[in-house]
Amino acid sequence: MSYSQADAGNWSRSVASMDWTAVGALTPELKDKEVLIRRQAQTTRPMGKNMAFLVVREELFTVQCLAAPQSAGVSRRMLKFVAGLNRGTIIDVIGVVSIPRNPIKGTTQQVEIQVRKLYCVTKAMPNLPIIIKDAVRSDVEIANALQIFRQFLLSEGFVEICTPKLTAGSSEGGSAVFKLDYFGQPACLARSPQLHKQMAICSEQRRVFEIGPVFRAEHSYTHRHLCEFTGLDVEMRIKKHYAEVMDLVDRLFVTIFDSLNERCEKELEAVGRQYPFEPLKYKPKTLRLTFERGVQMLKDAGMEVDPLGDLNTDAERKLGQLVLEKYGTEFYILHRYPLAVRPFYTMPCFDNSLYSKSFDVFIRGEEIISGAQRIHVPEMLEERAQACGIDVNTISISTYIDSIRYGPAGPHGGFGAGLERIVMLFCGLDNIRKTPLFPRDPRRLAPLKMF
Amino acid sequence: MSYSQADAGNWSRSVASMDWTAVGALTPELKDKEVLIRRQAQTTRPMGKNMAFLVVREELFTVQCLAAPQSAGVSRRMLKFVAGLNRGTIIDVIGVVSIPRNPIKGTTQQVEIQVRKLYCVTKAMPNLPIIIKDAVRSDVEIANALQIFRQFLLSEGFVEICTPKLTAGSSEGGSAVFKLDYFGQPACLARSPQLHKQMAICSEQRRVFEIGPVFRAEHSYTHRHLCEFTGLDVEMRIKKHYAEVMDLVDRLFVTIFDSLNERCEKELEAVGRQYPFEPLKYKPKTLRLTFERGVQMLKDAGMEVDPLGDLNTDAERKLGQLVLEKYGTEFYILHRYPLAVRPFYTMPCFDNSLYSKSFDVFIRGEEIISGAQRIHVPEMLEERAQACGIDVNTISISTYIDSIRYGPAGPHGGFGAGLERIVMLFCGLDNIRKTPLFPRDPRRLAPLKMF
C-alpha cells in the first residue's frame, strides 16, 4: 500500500514550520511578508511561457497568485504544474504578499501572492461534477438563525432538552409517520416533540426548547415541504394568558431577523446575487390579527371563506397581500383560530368555545409557526380527544394524558417552527430544497444536494 | 362542556393583578411583603383545628406556608381544603413573608408565608405514581454540558450543522441499524453523522459540529448502552497532525468539566445526596498515552492483551485503574490504535501502517469518545474499504467516496461522543438510564422514565 501521497500533503517539511494565513485575512498591511495559504485552486491561466496566474479560493474569499521565474524558487517545471492544476485541487502556496499597480478584478482580496513554493495536498478530478459558487450560502444563515434562536431563549431562562425521535405506536394519533420495527414492537419517528416537551413542563421545568429533526412521511412535492427538517420547538408555563407565548414569538423572531440582517450581510448579498430578493418587511412590534378579523378582510376583498374552517394556501397568500398593503408588513401573527381546525390538545377560548387559544405566524404569505395554549386538565383533554375521534387507549395518547394527570402541569403553551422554511422565506428563495445541506423529499434520500 | 376549572386557574381575578415570585427568591429581605407563588403542594400537615402547614415546591426550592385563622382571609373551610390537598396539586398562594422565631427544618427557604388566599390551578390525583425528588437532576447537567460544548466550539470558529437522520441503504455499511421503508426505497436511521460531517468539510466548511440524535439498534442491556442517544460530533480540517484533534478534545473537555463543577454545584450536590459519588479526577492538561504504551502497562500488571487487537471492557477498566494509580487522573486519551480495529476510513500512520491516526478517550475506565484523522485520498479510501470487505458499490459508500473525490477534502479528522455517557461518568452514576429525560433501550419505547 502506498500512503505517501496522503502523508506528503499532510507532512511536507517546508510547510511544517509555518502557520497558515486565511485568504480572507490577506490585506495590504501584509505587504512583503511571506505567507502560507491552503485551499482550492479555482482557476489557472498561463501567460506565455514565463508566467502563470492562479486564483486560490477559501470560503467566500479569493486571491490571485502569480508564478513567474523572477520569483525565487519558481522553475519552468513548476509553471507547467500550475498551468495543469485541476480546478478544485487543494494546494499549499508559500509566497510573498505584493500590491499590484492596477486593481485586481474578479478576486475578493486586493493583494497578489508572488509564489515561492507550491504543494499539492489533494488532487481533484479533471472535471468536477459540482462547482462551488458564492450562492447557496443559506447554510450560513441556517447556522446563524440557529444560534440566535438558541441564545435568545437561553437568555430568557429556557432549558434546552433532547427528546427521543423513536416513539411507540403512531405519534399524536396522526398519519404521515415513518413506521419501523423496534425489537418486535411497532414504533414510529416523531412528527414533533409536542408530547415530550409538554411532559418536560409537567416535571419541574418552567420553560424548555428543543432543536432537532422532525419527520413527516408526506407524499408532498411542493416548494415548501420536506420529509425531514430541523424543528424549533418551544414550550413554557403560562401565567395569565396565551398572549405570553405570542409575546415571546414576537421578540424572538424580530431579534432573529435583526441579527441576520446585521451579521450575515455578506452571505445575504451572495445569495441575492444568484437569487435576487427584496429584504423582508417587518415591524419592531409584530402585528397581531384575530382569525375573525382576517376572514373579514378576505371577505371585504371579495374572497369566499368559511369563518370556522381553515384557510387554504390561496387564502393565506391573499391575506398576506392584504396585510402588506394595509399594514406594510410581511410578518404577522393570526390568532384565535377556530377550535375545529386545531389539534385536540388545544385550549378552547373561555368566552367562546368555537374558537381556541391558538395562533399561526406568517412570512410573505406563508405559514411558518403554529402555536397554542395546551389543555392542562386531564378530564378535558380526554373529552376533547374523544370529540376529535382519537383513541385514548393507544400507548402514545394514554401516556400523554397520564403525564398531564400525574405531572400535573398547570397552564402552559408553546409553538413549533421549521428552520428551513424560515430561512427560505426570509431569503425569498423559491424552493425549500435550497436551504438545508442535504434535503430529504419523497424521491431524495442520497446525500448529495442537487437542484 | 365545562372549561371553567381550567380557565379559573388561568384567570383568577385576584391573581390577575399580581406578579409571581419564584420560591427560590423568597428571602428574609421580603419580610412583610405580600407575594404570589405558584407551584406544587408537596406536603400538608394540619395542626389541630386551627392551623395547617403546607410546603410548596418549585424546582429545587421549597418554602413553608402557614394557614391559620389569625391571618386575614383564612377560614375554617380553607383550612380543611389545605389539609385535603393532594400532593402535587398546582396552587397559587397569596401571602405575607414572615421570619419564624426558630429556623425551619426541611425546606430550602428560611422564611414562612402567612397564607391570605389560596387557589387550585390543577388538581393532582390522590396517589401519584411518581414523586419528584431532588436527585436525578442530571437533566440539568445534560442541558449545561450541551451549552458549554457548543459555546466552546462556536468560540473556536466551528459552524453548527444539521444533517439528515434518514439515509439510504445501511449507513457505514454496518449492522445494528433501524431499517424502514422510505416511499418504497430501503432506508435506515443514521448510526452517526460521520459521512455527512465529512461532506460538509469537503465543501467550504473549515470546522463543523453537530448535536443530534444517533440511533443504534443494538440488542444490548448493559449499564452504558442506549438505542437512541444525543451524539456530539465534531469534524475539522487538519493542518499538520492528528494531534490537533486531540488538542481540541483536551481543551474542550477540561472546559466542560471545569464549568460543570462551577455552574452546577447545587445540582451535583442534589445528585450526590441520592447517588453519592467522588468528583472526577482530571488534569488541566490531559494525559495522552499511545496504545502500545497502554498494552505494555497491562502486560506489566500481568494481563494478557493482543498488541494489535482491541481492548475489551475488562482491559479498559484495568488500564483506567493503572492510569489513576500512576498518573492520578481518571480522564485520559489513548491514541495510535491498531489499524485493524478501526473503521475503514481511518488514516493509517505514516511510519507504521499497522497503526492508525486514531484515539479513544476514557472517563473512569470507560470509553466516551472515539476520534481519528480520516482518509482524504479517494483511491486509498477505496483500497481500504475493499481490504475491510466493504462493498464500495452500495449507495451510501459510493456517494461517500464520491464526495471525498469531488470535494476534495484535504486532511481532516474529528470525533464523536455520547452526551448521556459523559454525564453518567462525570456524575459517577451506575446506569446511563438515569441521565436522559426519556431513555430508549431494547425494551423501552414509551415516554415515562422509570428505573
Side-chain angles (χ1 to χ4, degrees), chain A residues 115 120-121 137 144 150 162 164 181 183-184 194 199 210 214 223-224 237 239 258 272 279 284 318 376 401 418 446:
Chain A
V115 178
C120 171
V121 179
R137 298 298 298 174
N144 270 292
R150 176 180 289 116
C162 302
D181 171 72
F183 304 101
Q194 182 62 35
M199 286 187 223
E210 176 161 15
V214 161
H223 73 288
R224 63 179 195 162
R237 286 190 197 154
K239 292 291 190 181
D258 284 350
K318 181 70 188 168
H376 62 278
I401 298 176

Side-chain angles (χ1 to χ4, degrees), chain B residues 149-150 153-154 158-161 208-211 233-234:
Chain B
F149 178 86
R150 177 180 289 117
L153 292 175
L154 289 174
F158 282 79
V159 170
E160 185 166 6
I161 58 172
V208 298
F209 72 98
E210 177 162 13
I211 298 175
D233 271 274
V234 168

Side-chain angles (χ1 to χ4, degrees), chain A residues 1 165 204 228 383, chain B residues 1 59 160 165 228 383:
Chain A
M1 253 189 261
K165 304 308 152 202
E204 282 295 270
E228 178 177 351
E383 201 179 314
Chain B
M1 250 187 266
E59 290 159 13
E160 185 166 6
K165 303 307 153 204
E228 177 177 351
E383 202 180 313

Side-chain angles (χ1 to χ4, degrees), chain A residues 252-272:
Chain A
L252 171 60
F253 281 84
V254 168
T255 303
I256 291 177
F257 299 152
D258 284 350
S259 307
L260 282 179
N261 282 330
E262 270 169 43
R263 286 194 215 170
C264 300
E265 209 183 336
K266 275 214 177 72
E267 287 81 5
L268 288 169
E269 268 174 36
V271 173

Side-chain angles (χ1 to χ4, degrees), chain A residues 289-348:
Chain A
L289 293 176
T290 62
F291 187 85
E292 264 184 302
R293 175 88 193 96
V295 165
Q296 193 56 52
M297 282 172 74
L298 286 169
K299 280 188 179 161
D300 292 347
M303 201 169 197
E304 284 230 7
V305 227
D306 175 358
L308 293 177
D310 211 349
L311 298 180
N312 62 23
T313 311
D314 282 348
E316 288 179 351
R317 287 241 172 88
K318 181 70 188 168
L319 188 55
Q321 278 174 23
L322 296 173
V323 166
L324 178 58
E325 284 160 21
K326 180 156 184 180
Y327 300 100
T329 180
E330 293 172 303
F331 179 69
Y332 74 100
I333 302 177
L334 195 66
H335 69 114
R336 257 180 89 95
Y337 268 67
L339 182 62
V341 303
R342 308 298 285 200
F344 75 93
Y345 47 75
T346 309
M347 181 64 91

